Amino acid sequence: MSNQDFVILPGPSSISFARSMAKQMGCDIADLEFKEFPDGENYFRIVSDVKGKRVLLVQTLSPPVDHHLVQLLLLAKKLSETGAFVYAICPYLGYARQHREYLSGEVVSLKVVGQLMASMGVKRLVTVDIHNVEGLGLFTFPAFSVSAIPFLADYTLSKEDLSEAVIVSPDFGSSARVETFAKLVNRPYCVFEKERNRVTGEVKIKPPPLKLKGATAYIVDDMISTGGTIVKAANVLNEYEVKEVIAICVHPVLTINSVEKMSKAGVSKLIASNTIETEYSKVDVSKAVVDHLKLLG
Ligand code: R5P
């Protein structure tokens, strides 16, 4: 299969990411008419002929998550009805944090998302740094997660002075990613132990015994949502008298005052990928998806 066999359909939430993929792959971008009605409903018309084509429907599931999910489902349904083979490319996969029933009675939201996609005709899913790879097992069709970490590491190596750098994982969940990042930038790393009370949501961090005084600490996480995890880690790092705290994440979800909260906690800079398009999304990681698609070829 060559790249010419793919057509890219940029969903409203991932226009730049989709264009970057199309440029690298040298494939066509499908023509789409889209408008949002004053009441928030979506209107779509797929103008290009996509019958028999492999269509990469690129739509990140960032906030407003449900709105973006419905947009993806509407488009997937029309594409599949038209006879296209639909790949959902979700650079950020909303609902991935609820991949399990932690407390009895909880909805396994990611499983429902997978079922909705399947019933609208999605045949493949590619995402970037899914919160937990266990989540991929909930899909009834092949689902893949590619990593943005090498791209974030390359960017950091090229832009930052890492001579005094320590890489920090704010919890065990991110430790594998952080270990990879630390190896790529060739700096030491440590893992903070985090405990989240799943009822109240309260998070506590215990620092490991490691000399941090005077270091530039780079906290690396898969996502920053409220900023609470980064703030707690930054507070611990400041108690240890680090020189500077910088936050790096794959998915800058960045809800309610998260940037201000991190800034108040002494975080001097935020480096993020473009799985969600924000002013901090300096690192284009669409190549991770493109490389994966080439491997499938
Ligand atoms: C948690 O397990 C994740 O890796 C992130 O640390 C967390 O989701 C970040 O969320 P927040 O910014 O709301 O603390």
Side-chain angles (χ1 to χ4, degrees):
M1 195 197 316
S2 81
N3 285 342
Q4 267 67 37
D5 297 324
F6 287 111
V7 171
I8 293 194
L9 184 67
S13 66
S14 282
I15 307 275
S16 314
F17 197 98
R19 286 202 180 126
S20 179
M21 283 180 64
K23 199 170 169 193
Q24 292 166 65
M25 297 174 76
C27 61
D28 291 338
I29 293 185
D31 198 7
L32 176 71
E33 281 177 14
F34 162 59
K35 63 184 167 194
E36 249 180 67
F37 292 107
D39 60 4
E41 290 182 0
N42 302 282
Y43 167 92
F44 290 115
R45 176 170 170 249
I46 298 165
V47 182
S48 304
D49 179 10
V50 292
K51 189 173 178 187
K53 301 271 173 65
R54 294 181 171 262
V55 178
L56 304 172
L57 169 54
V58 189
Q59 171 82 344
T60 204
L61 300 185
S62 57
V65 179
D66 295 347
H67 187 65
H68 288 153
L69 175 61
V70 169
Q71 290 178 331
L72 180 138
L73 296 172
L74 294 172
L75 287 167
K77 179 65 177 170
K78 190 63 194 170
L79 288 169
S80 60
E81 272 177 0
T82 314
F85 187 96
V86 184
Y87 289 66
I89 309 292
C90 300
Y92 169 66
L93 187 61
Y95 285 112
R97 279 177 291 181
Q98 195 73 44
H99 70 285
R100 206 194 259 182
E101 191 173 335
Y102 293 96
L103 297 177
S104 167
E106 282 180 347
V107 175
V108 182
S109 312
L110 187 60
K111 187 174 177 182
V112 178
V113 168
Q115 287 168 341
L116 288 168
M117 287 186 188
S119 59
M120 294 303 122
V122 172
K123 295 285 193 292
R124 299 278 186 280
L125 170 82
V126 184
T127 186
V128 180
D129 285 282
I130 190 169
H131 181 65
N132 188 315
V133 287
E134 277 177 25
L136 297 172
L138 296 173
F139 290 82
T140 53
F141 50 83
F144 307 91
S145 176
V146 299
S147 180
I149 294 298
F151 298 89
L152 288 166
D154 274 357
Y155 178 90
T156 308
L157 267 175
S158 68
K159 301 279 181 196
E160 298 285 312
D161 172 9
L162 296 179
S163 53
E164 305 292 332
V166 171
I167 315 303
V168 176
S169 175
D171 57 24
F172 279 119
S174 275
S175 57
R177 280 186 199 98
V178 170
E179 185 178 358
T180 304
F181 183 95
K183 281 186 179 155
L184 289 170
V185 300
N186 198 24
R187 295 302 305 166
Y189 75 98
C190 61
V191 179
F192 281 2
E193 189 179 345
K194 180 173 88 169
E195 277 175 353
R196 186 188 290 270
N197 182 319
R198 298 211 69 86
V199 176
T200 64
E202 193 194 353
V203 177
K204 287 182 182 166
I205 294 174
K206 297 184 213 160
L210 184 76
K211 191 172 173 289
L212 294 167
K213 190 171 178 175
T216 304
Y218 290 80
I219 309 171
V220 179
D221 210 349
D222 60 335
M223 61 189 286
I224 299 175
S225 181
T226 63
T229 303
I230 297 289
V231 166
K232 283 192 188 288
N235 288 342
V236 174
L237 289 163
N238 286 325
E239 277 170 29
Y240 278 72
E241 298 178 45
V242 295
K243 191 170 72 186
E244 192 178 358
V245 180
I246 292 170
I248 298 182
C249 72
V250 178
H251 308 299
V253 179
L254 302 181
T255 58
I256 41 168
N257 301 327
S258 52
V259 172
E260 291 79 358
K261 282 193 315 203
M262 289 188 285
S263 176
K264 270 190 192 159
V267 176
S268 61
K269 192 185 295 179
L270 171 57
I271 298 171
S273 92
N274 64 340
T275 59
I276 300 172
E277 290 158 17
T278 72
E279 63 181 285
Y280 305 98
S281 307
K282 304 289 184 213
V283 188
D284 182 2
V285 298
S286 58
K287 188 172 184 299
V289 176
V290 170
D291 288 349
H292 172 80
L293 294 168
K294 277 187 198 153
L295 278 180
L296 289 184

